[in-house]
Amino acid sequence: ASGPLREAWRCEERLLERVPPECVEAWQQRPERRRLDALGAPSSLRPSRPPAARPVHAALRERYPEIVGHSPEVGQLLTTIDRVSASSATVLIRGESGTGKELVAEALHRHSPRADAPLVKVNCAAKGRFETADGGTLFLDEIGAISPATQVALLRVLQERTFERVGGTTTLSVNVRILAATHRDLEALVAEGRFRQDLYYRLRGIELRTPALRERRKDVPELVTCILGRVAKETEVGNLRCAPEVLAAFRAYPWPGNVRELENVLRAAAYFAEDGIIGTESLRAVHAPCLEATPLEAPPPAPPLPGEGGPDRPGDAFYARVRGGELSLADIKKEIERECIENALGEVSGNISAAARLLGMKRPRLSQLVKEHGLRGATARMKTKCRGATA
């Protein structure tokens, strides 16, 4: 029986590397897992490393080293990539310009069953190359920019998996996985009649969102180190690093151009570095706005650790209400959830799709929560108020 037991422990180890940490405890309480413990397998049959000892994020970082960062936003992105890469589902990658949508497409292809076939990248201002990508993956960048005629042609390929060469009459079959990317608001384009609704629904089989750099500022030092390492290697100038005050300026700056802008600034500033150090003068020579970031643009202070801070912490207030029997933990969760949804809806004038993106969830799930919390009337009032203000 040692063979099956050993394989059971190893299967569990592989499983726990792929699930979020919050799910590990739930799995370990399941009857099947308890029966495995009850078998009393000797330590020699267990994996050399305990299943939960390796952080999920670290395991994902090993598999996707090209996507840099340790922030929760990057962790969520890597988790989603890991879950959908093995499928053939169409994926819509959304995010601002410069956030690494192409890197996400490359990661999805590299870890898919199609990895040995081509990944063909097409800017949607140019013609498609379905035949070249047959058996592999086709990455359609800037999908929101395609013309109405191209939208019709693309919809047919997605529906029927057939196409004709330009100027030809023979119908060809094609086997490709479609990855599309855009920084545009496709929902708004659909509402304006500039993007086909049926094509939109075909493309958004699975959605991934690349976070803006201002949303993950804690990753800035790691990104700086990574980029400067590449620059130093390409230019053979030796080690490069930023002075502490420059790193502080980088973390305070909102980076409207995201990682692409950060890389361009670092590459330019490297030419002005003194003894391999990019100081404030080096930065001022290429990108003075970085040095003008106001304290308001700096990342918010970290929340106090347990046992620290004053009595006006939100957690203390909630705890007092639970201890006094006024609310249960479930009630508090619902209250916080409702407030967050109300705030998000208010910020986007009742637009559920936009609010879902702010909250990092799918639109159908948010619609369900809006109904559960009785917010449908409030959403309608927000939209009416917004229309009245613009009339």
Side-chain angles (χ1 to χ4, degrees):
S2 62
L5 275 176
R6 183 181 292 108
E7 183 59 27
W9 284 106
R10 288 176 177 168
C11 283
E12 184 193 42
E13 180 180 28
R14 292 193 294 270
L15 169 69
L16 292 180
E17 288 178 351
R18 289 176 171 265
V19 300
E22 61 268 20
C23 298
V24 172
E25 184 177 355
W27 159 248
Q28 291 173 339
Q29 299 304 317
R30 289 180 64 87
E32 305 94 299
R33 178 59 175 76
R34 288 179 176 273
R35 284 199 293 272
L36 184 61
D37 273 336
L39 291 174
S43 58
S44 60
L45 295 181
R46 298 178 180 237
S48 58
R49 173 174 47 79
R54 186 183 190 187
V56 174
H57 193 91
L60 291 175
R61 286 296 310 282
E62 289 179 16
R63 285 196 286 276
Y64 304 96
E66 66 277 8
I67 299 177
V68 178
H70 283 84
S71 64
E73 293 80 6
V74 171
Q76 179 60 47
L77 177 63
L78 294 180
T79 299
T80 307
I81 291 173
D82 205 52
R83 288 176 179 171
V84 305
S85 59
S87 76
S88 292
T90 300
V91 178
L92 178 60
I93 306 165
R94 310 183 74 151
E96 297 177 12
S97 295
T99 53
K101 296 186 290 294
E102 186 172 333
L103 283 179
V104 171
E106 291 172 351
L108 285 167
H109 175 72
R110 189 178 301 114
H111 293 271
S112 76
R114 301 170 180 264
D116 293 332
L119 168 63
V120 179
K121 303 175 184 178
V122 181
N123 186 299
C124 284
K127 295 177 182 179
R129 287 183 277 181
F130 283 91
E131 192 171 2
T132 306
D134 191 24
T137 304
L138 188 67
F139 175 49
L140 303 175
D141 198 7
E142 292 307 333
I143 194 69
I146 61 176
S147 67
T150 305
Q151 291 179 37
V152 173
L154 178 58
L155 180 62
R156 179 186 173 188
V157 177
L158 291 176
Q159 289 176 332
E160 304 173 12
R161 300 292 167 171
T162 60
F163 71 102
E164 288 92 28
R165 295 191 185 100
V166 176
T169 58
T170 304
T171 299
L172 304 173
S173 297
V174 66
N175 172 23
V176 296
R177 183 189 191 182
I178 302 296
L179 306 178
T182 185
H183 71 280
R184 303 190 181 200
D185 186 340
L186 291 184
E187 291 84 1
L189 294 178
V190 170
E192 295 166 6
R194 296 164 57 194
F195 199 89
R196 292 181 63 101
Q197 187 177 55
D198 46 5
L199 177 57
Y200 166 69
Y201 285 123
R202 280 279 179 178
L203 290 171
R204 54 164 278 190
I206 296 174
E207 285 193 18
L208 290 177
R209 179 179 175 273
T210 53
L213 186 52
R214 64 181 174 276
E215 297 171 347
R216 57 182 189 109
R217 299 190 198 209
K218 64 173 64 176
D219 290 332
V220 167
E222 187 176 354
L223 284 164
V224 167
T225 300
C226 179
I227 293 169
L228 288 181
R230 288 203 303 265
V231 173
K233 186 175 181 180
E234 293 167 7
T235 58
E236 299 181 351
V237 297
N239 293 329
L240 287 169
R241 62 186 180 88
C242 288
E245 57 272 21
V246 169
L247 275 179
F250 281 168
R251 292 195 64 170
Y253 185 64
W255 297 108
N258 294 295
V259 179
R260 184 182 296 131
E261 182 185 8
L262 173 63
E263 180 166 0
N264 290 340
V265 168
L266 286 171
R267 286 184 178 279
Y271 289 105
F272 298 89
E274 295 288 342
D275 298 323
I277 300 175
I278 297 175
T280 53
E281 292 306 312
S282 307
L283 185 57
R284 184 173 286 108
V286 298
H287 201 282
C290 279
L291 299 171
E292 299 167 2
T294 67
L296 292 177
E297 293 170 316
L305 296 173
E308 297 180 348
D312 56 346
R313 290 185 305 154
D316 290 340
F318 282 128
Y319 175 65
R321 297 173 72 183
V322 172
R323 192 161 185 246
E326 181 183 348
L327 291 174
S328 68
L329 288 175
D331 293 332
I332 289 175
K333 178 184 176 183
K334 290 180 181 178
E335 186 174 321
I336 295 173
E337 188 175 69
R338 179 188 169 93
E339 288 182 6
C340 288
I341 293 172
E342 276 191 307
N343 289 339
L345 288 170
E347 189 173 337
V348 296
S349 304
N351 186 313
I352 292 184
S353 296
R357 288 195 294 274
L358 287 178
L359 295 169
M361 61 171 46
K362 297 288 187 182
R363 188 187 189 284
R365 176 57 180 158
L366 180 56
S367 296
Q368 181 184 2
L369 291 175
V370 166
K371 181 178 179 181
E372 289 177 6
H373 290 294
L375 294 172
R376 280 189 169 178
T379 303
R381 288 193 298 273
M382 291 176 195
K383 291 182 177 179
T384 302
K385 183 177 179 181
C386 180
R387 285 195 295 268
T390 57

